[in-house]
Amino acid sequence: MIAAIRRALALATDDERRRLRLASLVGIVAGAAGTALLALSGYLIAEAAGQPPVLSLGIAIVGVRGFGILRAAARYLERLVGHDATFRILARLRAAAFAGIAARPAAAGVGAVDQLVADVDRVQDAYLRAITPLAVASAVGLGGLAVAALILPAAAAVLAGVLLAGAVALPARAAGLARAASSRRGPLRADLVRDVTTALDAAPELVVAGLADDQIDRVRASGAALATVERSEGRATALVAAAATAIGGLGAAAALAVALPAAESGRLDPVLVGLLALLVLGVGESIAPLPAAARELRGTADAVDRVSALLARNGTCPTPAPAPGAAPTVPRPADARGDGSGLCLDRVAVRRGGRPVLRDVSLAILPGERVALVGPSGAGKSTVGELLVGFLPSTDVAGSATLDGTPLPALDGIALRERVLHVPQDPYVFDADVAANLRLARPDADERQLVAALRAVGAGRWFDGLADGLATRVGERGRALSGGERQRLGLARVWLRCTAHDAGRRPDGGPSTDAGSPSGRVVAPPRFLVLDEPVSHLPPAEGRAVLADLLAATPDAGALLIAHRSEEAALADRTVHLGADGRLRGSTDAPGPLPAVD
């Protein structure tokens, strides 16, 4: 338990750890006040039973009232400070973890992102349900043991047994149950998520194939299996919780069993009998949350480890996000040096899913050069494009891939993709309106620039037919659009990105800044384009025209045109052939200069 808490604390900054320490300190005050309230109440009841002068009870009465008020105030302050610290940690971890996934898209995916969200949310349990309860139980337990030892050593022995049972044995048992349940629940929950996702994403295909009922049955079976495990875990958890509650009461009864004989023999003042019994009961209440804390912490430990590993890979743990305008701490492309070495692959091999995809690929693209990459389907053309923008795990790649002499794995992913712009065959379209989807490329673009970009990629007629214009919603993943319309929307984003330096140039001739980007960074055109069949859903003549216009708008940028159509490959200066075995077959010069397209 302690090791897991230390790993969780390592995710916090110094300021956040100070806030957590304050929360624990205030929690200890609240726990001590609650235990003292019970113990003093027992003394007051016993003392008042003898009907002494009221003034002799004044200190005890004031103490009971004071501890009652202190307990409530400290408990409120502990929750306030603890939740504030935890929410600060979560806000920072969410941003840092998302930045880590965004910087390495190869690690992304529905499963990875879902796991990330669940892990970051689970980390809070270590702070709210483990650290403070453990601190309170330790302090109150030791303090109560010392008081009991001073009054009656036999009662201290009873309290020690309560602490061993409630603070050691039960938490260990709860952690064991959580470990067993987690090992069974994890795969079952993954099966349920997979079956539900399949039912939702492939609903039309399942209905057409007559398999919808079968898929529903699979969802029900997965849900029933998971529910069985969770019911079993719930019963075990309830028994542990009941035992944690019973320990305090049994301890109080045991304390009475040793205190009453001592009082009868004169070894103990009778008014202290109730104090000892309620002291043990109060300590039992303070340690009651420990089994639940151990159970939560056991499930949290793996999440903490995964989040820590992700942040460590991206150098974002545990330092807070840099201030706006701060210098980057990771290498960036060396284009500012103007060494002109371009985008290069040298004897690159790639394996995906254990299967070799690319073998001994060497390719160089210089700024301003247009290279077409052609080959049969499945040869690995798209893999080359994904490699050039850092979308592949470094563990799957052998050989050298560099941008202006700097290895791609050493580059900041965001900076790399600012210089090498990837244009996929099937661009992702968000469930938003047309304007929001376009402003992904340029958050500061006005409506005139958005419409101009649509018309530049041949989407003018489609846009003119939209009743709501730029406010038209396109549906989840662009389901309201055809394949060609989605591609034109993606190409319009590229057009906005590539022409930002012209549309937003300042009156003094300097480059524009993107008001919607972090730190108002300078908007620069990409130095290289990776065009992975971005017009495959358009008619050949229209697709060729759009590509020609896009290349004409970026004369200084190098471009890799991944193509199946010869008319698109003809736009390049040279053509590289990739064989079905993942090897390059050499290159040929394109026939003639870049054609002019009206």
Side-chain angles (χ1 to χ4, degrees):
M1 181 185 290
I2 301 300
I5 289 177
R6 287 177 177 172
R7 293 198 297 272
L9 288 175
L11 292 174
T13 64
D14 290 340
D15 177 67
E16 292 160 352
R17 282 192 286 269
R18 282 193 293 270
R19 293 173 184 270
L20 290 172
R21 284 195 293 269
L22 177 59
S24 297
L25 179 60
V26 178
I28 291 173
V29 171
T35 302
L37 174 63
L38 278 174
L40 192 57
S41 296
Y43 169 82
L44 179 60
I45 292 171
E47 183 70 20
Q51 297 181 350
V54 174
L55 290 179
S56 67
L57 302 176
I59 294 177
I61 292 172
V62 172
V64 168
R65 291 178 177 177
F67 284 131
I69 295 172
L70 179 61
R71 179 190 182 189
R75 181 68 66 197
Y76 173 79
L77 187 59
E78 178 261 318
R79 298 294 170 87
L80 182 66
V81 176
H83 281 76
D84 175 68
T86 301
F87 290 153
R88 288 172 182 266
I89 295 171
L90 289 182
R92 182 176 52 79
L93 289 182
R94 286 191 182 105
F98 181 80
I101 287 290
R104 287 171 170 78
V110 174
V113 173
D114 285 347
Q115 183 69 64
L116 172 66
V117 172
D119 285 345
V120 173
D121 286 343
R122 193 71 189 271
V123 167
Q124 66 180 317
D125 291 337
Y127 306 116
L128 293 177
R129 301 184 182 183
I131 293 177
T132 298
L134 180 60
V136 171
S138 300
V140 174
L142 293 176
L145 197 61
V147 172
L150 289 174
I151 298 174
L152 184 65
V158 170
L159 183 54
V162 169
L163 290 174
L164 285 174
V168 178
L170 274 182
R173 178 57 178 164
L177 291 174
R179 185 182 304 110
S182 178
S183 63
R184 291 181 296 165
R185 186 175 60 244
L188 293 175
R189 180 168 293 172
D191 290 344
L192 178 60
V193 170
R194 184 195 61 226
D195 292 339
V196 171
T197 302
T198 300
L200 294 175
D201 289 347
E205 290 80 3
L206 291 171
V207 171
V208 170
L211 299 175
D213 290 339
D214 292 342
Q215 185 63 30
I216 292 173
D217 290 340
R218 277 192 287 270
V219 171
R220 287 173 176 165
S222 299
L226 179 60
T228 299
V229 171
E230 289 182 337
R231 280 195 296 270
S232 175
E233 180 187 6
R235 285 192 293 268
T237 300
L239 289 175
V240 171
T245 302
I247 282 177
L250 293 174
L256 285 174
V258 299
L260 287 174
E264 290 177 355
S265 64
R267 292 182 293 113
L268 178 69
D269 189 339
V271 298
L272 297 179
V273 172
L275 183 150
L276 285 174
L278 293 182
L279 174 66
V280 174
L281 184 63
V283 172
E285 287 186 355
S286 72
I287 65 175
L290 289 185
R295 185 180 65 251
E296 294 294 339
L297 196 58
R298 177 62 188 84
T300 300
D302 293 338
V304 169
D305 290 341
R306 285 189 293 267
V307 173
S308 298
L310 174 64
L311 300 185
R313 286 196 301 269
N314 293 280
T316 55
C317 177
T319 306
T329 58
V330 290
R332 300 179 76 87
D335 52 279
R337 299 195 302 267
D339 56 11
S341 56
L343 195 57
C344 301
L345 302 179
D346 184 21
R347 303 182 66 83
V348 167
V350 174
R351 299 180 67 87
R352 307 192 78 168
R355 179 179 66 87
V357 178
L358 298 179
R359 296 177 174 87
D360 198 28
V361 172
S362 296
L363 177 66
I365 307 172
L366 300 178
E369 183 183 22
R370 282 73 195 278
V371 179
L373 180 62
V374 301
S377 296
K381 301 186 298 298
S382 294
T383 299
V384 173
E386 293 173 1
L387 170 63
L388 294 176
V389 290
F391 282 2
L392 301 184
S394 58
T395 54
D396 292 348
V397 181
S400 172
T402 61
L403 173 60
D404 296 323
T406 304
L408 298 187
L411 297 175
D412 172 23
I414 296 175
L416 169 62
R417 286 180 283 278
E418 285 178 350
R419 291 293 169 261
V420 184
L421 185 61
H422 184 245
V423 187
Q425 180 180 12
D426 188 16
Y428 191 90
V429 179
F430 291 87
D431 187 7
D433 57 28
V434 174
N437 274 282
L438 291 176
R439 287 196 173 104
L440 287 172
R442 277 182 53 199
D444 66 332
D446 57 32
E447 291 189 359
R448 177 186 57 81
Q449 292 166 334
L450 299 182
V451 174
L454 289 171
R455 297 193 186 282
V457 298
R461 182 182 304 173
W462 167 75
F463 174 75
D464 291 337
L466 298 177
D468 296 326
L470 292 172
T472 302
R473 298 192 67 86
V474 297
E476 184 180 0
R477 298 186 180 180
R479 288 182 177 177
L481 307 178
S482 67
E485 289 165 350
R486 284 196 299 271
Q487 284 194 330
R488 290 189 192 274
L489 195 61
L491 288 165
R493 291 176 186 164
V494 179
W495 187 274
L496 285 166
R497 179 70 177 82
C498 291
T499 59
H501 62 297
D502 293 327
R505 188 167 293 277
R506 301 196 309 258
D508 61 2
S512 66
T513 58
D514 186 344
S517 64
S519 305
R521 71 176 184 272
V522 174
V523 175
R527 297 189 67 241
F528 295 92
L529 298 174
V530 177
L531 304 169
D532 189 357
E533 299 188 67
V535 294
S536 59
H537 296 311
L538 304 182
E542 292 184 20
R544 182 179 182 278
V546 170
L547 281 181
D549 289 343
L550 182 59
L551 293 173
T554 55
D556 297 328
L560 178 67
L561 286 79
I562 300 174
H564 277 295
R565 299 171 179 171
S566 59
E567 58 268 24
E568 295 169 13
L571 294 171
D573 302 322
R574 59 189 175 95
T575 300
V576 178
H577 299 269
L578 186 65
D581 60 353
R583 299 179 185 272
L584 291 181
R585 301 303 187 193
S587 63
T588 58
D589 292 335
L594 187 68
V597 180
D598 295 331

